Amino acid sequence: MSQQRETCAQEWTQRPVFQRDQRLTPDRLNRIHQHQSKRLSQLILGLAGTGVVYGFALKTHGDTDSENNSSEHYGHCVCEQGKIYIGCGLAIDCYGRALYWHGGWVGIEDLGGALPECPGNHTLYVHYAERAYDVDQHCGCDESAVDWVEEGVVFTLSTECTPQPHQCPDCPPCIERDGYICERLGATDHNAVDPPECLPNICEMAPEPCATAPCDWLYSASTGVSLACVCVAETRAAETHATHCGPGFEFCSVDPQVCHHREYVYRNPLLFELIQGCDKHLARVESLSIEDWLQDSWNHPIQWRAFSSRIKQDGISIGFSKPIATNTLNPGSLFITAVVREQNPMFKDVLRLPISEIHFLDQHGDYAKGVRLQFSDLWIANQIDSELSRFNFPFSIELTVRGAHLRDECGDMLDARPLHFPENKKAQDMPGDDFVVTFCVEPKTISSSKPGSHDDDPDRADDQYPDYDKKPNGSSDKQTHENKSKKFD
């Protein structure tokens, strides 16, 4: 019974009940509003979290600016009389309160908190703020004449300018997904994974704004949301001397650092975009000069003459969808292997073709959008033109591009998805994997000019394998081995 009485005595969510002829006092109406406002803030904080929802863009010089649009000013803050323009924006603080700003010019004299004491980079924050509002006076009115409490924002500066740590929380190894979710949402009192810093504020009351700012604003100094890293400079001496008042610092026109200095609220559409990898556009293999050989070669092998002619004249070309660093395009990341049959044991032997040259295609600086792989004249004479070749049986060729070794202009690895795989299948991304294609080729045709040759005899036993150090004139430093041809199995 004691537990039941204790449970019944707990404060829980309440809602007003309005009756006919009911007298609603100002105090009761204010409590109703405060109660509902608190519940709404709890819900917003729990579902959305803390950070910028939209906007608060700092106006900068662009290509279309009529003035100061030279390359040296591009991207710099637009400053007028030491003020910067902050666009319309909405954010949520660590108690779930909405921070709405309609947009406007902000100067050092408009800030709350301590003013800058030295020039340099400062972090710009936005805070929840309130002030008494009267229709006639707008500002500085007596409490008895208050019609509304105006909710707004106050901006402050901090001398620290550190990027926001957008990273995964520390967690134990081998934790299951259910366990991670459970502990991340504070479902246990011995969390190996800490909940987000602001989430426990759902169970707390938001502190009343008490720090003062210009024009009677009261703001919450400890609950600011970071917006950007901006530059502050000393006010020009002539203007300071002329006015004999005002702050000694002003905003200066340099590049603001925005994106890495903010917390964000991840809306559902944005979450799905991130899951789909819309922020990543990895390089892929876009084209191959042997693409026409990849369709049905296992049922209809490529003719030897077509294979040998293209290998001798053109080599093999590879095109990429984005420029790739040339220092990563080498025989360690691009190679071709032949899978051939051994003569007597009937095993498959994997032999790497010797690439003698890599020509960069569509090259700009240290990056290229393609390569052409070529083979040495000695190897072509030894294995393509010579009758004593390892290609006297049916064989297959594999082209491998090691995605983990390649780097694009962003420093990212290659996406090794197959050629022409649909772009919208984002879950099929293969960053850093090996891109591999393979095709089958007919055996090399033995020249009938050799006396005593048996081109039509599939079981001939007088053919020989050459050595890889065989000279172009047909001489060899190593003993050759007998070869008996068999059909492809």
Side-chain angles (χ1 to χ4, degrees):
M1 294 296 293
S2 61
Q3 292 181 354
Q4 184 178 1
R5 283 197 300 270
E6 181 180 353
T7 302
C8 292
Q10 288 182 352
E11 180 183 356
W12 193 241
T13 301
Q14 300 171 348
R15 57 184 175 86
V17 177
F18 298 104
Q19 308 269 351
R20 184 184 298 274
D21 299 327
Q22 183 179 8
R23 296 185 63 184
L24 296 175
T25 65
D27 182 63
R28 177 174 295 183
L29 290 173
N30 287 332
R31 289 202 309 269
I32 291 173
H33 168 74
Q34 292 171 358
H35 181 81
Q36 296 303 320
S37 177
K38 175 185 175 183
R39 294 294 179 246
L40 178 61
S41 297
Q42 289 175 317
L43 183 63
I44 291 176
L45 178 61
L47 292 180
T50 302
V52 176
V53 178
Y54 171 78
F56 290 105
L58 275 66
K59 187 176 182 181
T60 58
H61 292 288
D63 292 329
T64 58
D65 291 340
S66 59
E67 57 181 357
N68 283 336
N69 60 348
S70 63
S71 58
E72 62 177 321
H73 292 287
Y74 180 80
H76 292 188
C77 281
V78 174
C79 290
E80 294 187 5
Q81 298 180 349
K83 295 187 176 185
I84 58 175
Y85 188 88
I86 304 176
C88 175
L90 175 66
I92 299 172
D93 74 0
C94 62
Y95 285 94
R97 296 175 296 193
L99 282 60
Y100 174 73
W101 167 252
H102 54 77
W105 294 94
V106 177
I108 299 296
E109 65 275 14
D110 303 314
L111 301 176
L115 297 180
E117 297 180 355
C118 59
N121 290 332
H122 294 67
T123 299
L124 177 68
Y125 289 90
V126 61
H127 304 254
Y128 174 81
E130 295 179 354
R131 69 178 177 183
Y133 179 81
D134 176 68
V135 175
D136 298 324
Q137 299 181 24
H138 294 284
C139 187
C141 53
D142 186 79
E143 289 187 2
S144 61
V146 170
D147 292 327
W148 298 89
V149 172
E150 185 178 8
E151 296 181 329
V153 299
V154 165
F155 297 97
T156 65
L157 289 178
S158 170
T159 54
E160 299 179 357
C161 212
T162 305
Q164 289 293 316
H166 297 138
Q167 58 188 18
C168 296
D170 295 332
C171 61
C174 306
I175 189 171
E176 297 180 354
R177 175 166 293 182
D178 287 346
Y180 179 88
I181 295 173
C182 178
E183 297 194 14
R184 187 67 170 151
L185 297 183
T188 65
D189 59 358
H190 54 278
N191 295 323
V193 184
D194 293 330
E197 183 178 352
C198 295
L199 197 57
N201 288 342
I202 287 178
C203 303
E204 304 292 336
M205 288 292 296
E208 290 293 330
C210 58
T212 59
C215 204
D216 296 330
W217 283 106
L218 297 176
Y219 71 98
S220 298
S222 62
T223 61
V225 176
S226 60
L227 296 179
C229 182
V230 296
C231 175
V232 171
E234 292 184 0
T235 306
R236 284 174 292 181
E239 293 181 359
T240 304
H241 180 73
T243 58
H244 299 286
C245 63
F249 297 93
E250 63 183 9
F251 290 107
C252 52
S253 179
V254 298
D255 289 349
Q257 303 170 35
V258 176
C259 296
H260 295 292
H261 292 263
R262 291 191 173 193
E263 298 175 88
Y264 301 101
V265 172
Y266 299 103
R267 301 173 59 249
N268 279 346
L270 177 61
L271 282 177
F272 281 102
E273 292 170 5
L274 295 175
I275 292 172
Q276 292 177 346
C278 296
D279 58 321
K280 282 293 183 185
H281 300 280
L282 301 178
R284 297 177 56 183
V285 174
E286 188 173 53
S287 62
L288 294 171
S289 62
I290 56 172
E291 188 175 335
D292 56 322
W293 289 351
L294 307 178
Q295 302 301 320
D296 196 29
S297 67
W298 292 97
N299 294 323
H300 304 285
I302 307 302
Q303 293 183 354
W304 168 258
R305 288 189 177 181
F307 171 76
S308 61
S309 175
R310 187 174 296 183
I311 289 295
K312 290 167 62 175
Q313 296 180 13
D314 304 322
I316 295 179
S317 297
I318 307 170
F320 301 103
S321 61
K322 294 177 63 179
I324 301 294
T326 55
N327 63 348
T328 65
L329 298 169
N330 51 62
S333 59
L334 309 167
F335 55 89
I336 304 170
T337 54
V339 182
V340 300
R341 205 194 80 182
E342 284 287 0
Q343 163 62 13
N344 292 324
M346 304 289 288
F347 282 112
K348 298 290 185 180
D349 196 5
V350 179
L351 306 174
R352 184 173 292 191
L353 277 59
I355 297 174
S356 62
E357 294 182 82
I358 297 180
H359 297 280
F360 300 125
L361 308 176
D362 194 9
Q363 181 179 4
H364 298 280
D366 295 331
Y367 295 85
K369 288 199 67 177
V371 293
R372 184 171 65 250
L373 311 179
Q374 292 189 319
F375 308 93
S376 68
D377 294 338
L378 179 62
W379 180 83
I380 290 176
N382 199 356
Q383 295 299 322
I384 301 296
D385 296 336
S386 173
E387 295 176 357
L388 304 177
S389 171
R390 294 297 297 270
F391 297 138
N392 285 326
F393 291 107
F395 62 95
S396 62
I397 295 290
E398 291 184 357
L399 167 65
T400 302
V401 180
R402 283 188 168 161
H405 291 190
L406 303 189
R407 296 292 184 272
D408 64 13
E409 293 174 304
C410 304
D412 295 328
M413 298 182 292
L414 181 81
D415 179 2
R417 281 182 293 175
L419 202 63
H420 304 312
F421 197 83
E423 285 281 354
N424 59 351
K425 290 185 176 293
K426 294 290 184 180
Q428 305 295 318
D429 290 2
M430 299 170 59
D433 210 336
D434 285 354
F435 174 90
V436 181
V437 294
T438 182
F439 57 91
C440 187
V441 185
E442 290 180 345
K444 175 177 168 32
T445 303
I446 303 300
S447 174
S448 61
S449 61
K450 178 182 177 182
S453 64
H454 304 281
D455 295 339
D456 299 328
D457 182 7
D459 295 323
R460 64 189 183 276
D462 57 344
D463 296 328
Q464 297 174 320
Y465 284 109
D467 294 308
Y468 277 95
D469 57 352
K470 183 177 181 294
K471 307 298 187 295
N473 60 8
S475 63
S476 175
D477 297 331
K478 295 185 179 180
Q479 182 180 0
T480 58
H481 306 278
E482 289 187 356
N483 171 32
K484 185 174 182 181
S485 175
K486 294 291 184 181
K487 292 182 178 180
F488 178 68
D489 51 357

